[in-house]
Amino acid sequence: MSWQMRVEHSTGYRYASPVLSSYNEARIIPQTGGGQVTLEASVRTEPAATLYRYWDYWGSQVTAFDLHGPHTELVVTGRSLVRTAPEPARPEPPSWEALRGDDVADRYVEFLRPARFTPDHPELVAAGRELAAAHDPADFVLAVGDWVRERLTYRPGTTDVHTSATEAWKRGEGVCQDFAHLALVLMRAAGMPSRYVSGYLHPLADAAIGETVEGQSHAWVEGWFGDWWGFDPTNAVPAGERHVVVARGRDYDDVPPMRGVYSGGTSSSLGVTVNVTRLA
């Protein structure tokens, strides 16, 4: 069954000296599609700014704004009300031969090629192809999740947003972003179109109605085998009612919650807070 959730996401920066101007993009508004519906959404900035919205190449909604007065902090807060999608049924998988055909390769070429944080590595390519040889496409996605969890320990603070899949694999530890990146390398090596999904995760499967808890910015993957199917390799579950989709792309580089440029002193993060409330 689907859930209805209230999500509040706040992030920001503090500057060592006043910033005179900045240009920013935020990807913090959940998507509507694939069974998920965003019922309400708003973005507020401090200092206040005029906001512009557009959909990027990958179909994610972007809130853009610029500031041209001195400021020493920037805080961006997104609030949304979302009806999430229930756990989907796995599509009936085609054969690997059909999946690797020219039609699929032409249509999804961007989700088959290496990207900034999901580069090729000979050992990872070999591992992906070995898993594909032993599983049909649907079971392959689950096997990839098992492979990744056997080799990565979830440990916050050991990687950052600039860590590639290869670097996390060599360290043997990381966070959800690294689990997703490593899974994507194996899936693409096997010839399965796959994409990175960013959003939020409610941490409690039995969440009480009306209770606000600390949620998580989260990342998972979607593989294409006749249709897109979402899977969370960090938690070994299909993407379902606890997952809120915000943005999709080839890897994290296509979907950062905040991105911008500014003129001024060095910056430090004020951190990220995500609060989620299950309403129904």
Side-chain angles (χ1 to χ4, degrees):
M1 60 181 291
S2 64
W3 287 13
Q4 189 163 299
M5 280 195 281
R6 176 82 62 187
V7 181
E8 180 172 312
H9 175 151
S10 183
T11 185
Y13 301 91
R14 178 177 291 117
Y15 305 102
S17 60
V19 168
L20 302 180
S21 61
S22 66
Y23 302 83
N24 310 275
E25 293 180 346
R27 289 171 174 81
I28 55 178
I29 293 180
Q31 295 191 6
T32 290
Q36 177 177 290
V37 179
T38 298
L39 304 170
E40 300 174 8
S42 66
V43 176
R44 186 184 75 243
T45 69
E46 298 177 20
T50 300
L51 307 179
Y52 308 89
R53 290 183 181 174
Y54 68 91
W55 278 262
D56 68 14
Y57 178 80
W58 308 105
S60 306
Q61 188 170 154
V62 181
T63 302
F65 61 95
D66 52 87
L67 295 165
H68 299 286
H71 55 284
T72 56
E73 285 189 1
L74 170 62
V75 177
V76 181
T77 302
R79 294 185 176 91
S80 54
L81 178 63
V82 185
R83 186 169 67 241
T84 59
E87 178 182 320
R90 280 194 294 173
E92 188 66 29
S95 66
W96 278 111
E97 182 180 5
L99 191 59
R100 294 165 178 156
D102 291 342
D103 290 345
V104 174
D106 289 344
R107 184 176 180 183
Y108 297 111
V109 61
E110 291 165 314
F111 297 118
L112 285 165
R113 297 182 60 81
R116 179 180 179 186
F117 296 122
T118 51
D120 276 346
H121 185 283
E123 290 184 47
L124 297 179
V125 169
R129 292 174 178 172
E130 183 178 340
L131 289 171
H135 300 87
D136 69 25
D139 290 334
F140 165 74
V141 177
L142 304 179
V144 166
D146 292 340
W147 192 97
V148 171
R149 286 188 304 280
E150 288 172 1
R151 288 156 180 82
L152 286 186
T153 299
Y154 186 88
R155 188 166 290 136
T158 57
T159 58
D160 59 32
V161 296
H162 303 294
T163 303
S164 71
T166 304
E167 292 167 337
W169 167 60
K170 290 180 178 179
R171 293 180 186 181
E173 54 192 8
V175 293
C176 59
Q177 171 184 303
D178 304 299
F179 282 68
H181 280 159
L182 188 52
L184 291 173
V185 173
L186 271 64
M187 293 164 73
R188 292 171 184 166
M192 176 178 287
S194 51
R195 57 192 185 185
Y196 183 99
V197 188
S198 71
Y200 309 114
L201 174 69
H202 196 300
L204 305 175
D206 57 349
I209 303 297
E211 180 183 0
T212 298
V213 300
E214 184 177 347
Q216 303 168 4
S217 291
H218 199 54
W220 58 100
V221 301
E222 290 178 343
W224 193 91
F225 44 96
D227 200 356
W228 291 106
W229 188 70
F231 184 74
D232 182 345
T234 307
N235 295 298
V237 295
E241 62 275 0
R242 294 193 294 135
H243 294 76
V244 177
V245 177
V246 172
R248 295 182 173 95
R250 294 164 298 178
D251 61 16
Y252 176 85
D253 196 44
D254 291 331
V255 300
M258 284 291 300
R259 171 175 280 161
V261 296
Y262 67 93
S263 62
T266 58
S267 66
S268 59
S269 175
L270 293 174
V272 177
T273 60
V274 177
N275 292 316
V276 291
T277 308
R278 183 184 177 189
L279 302 178

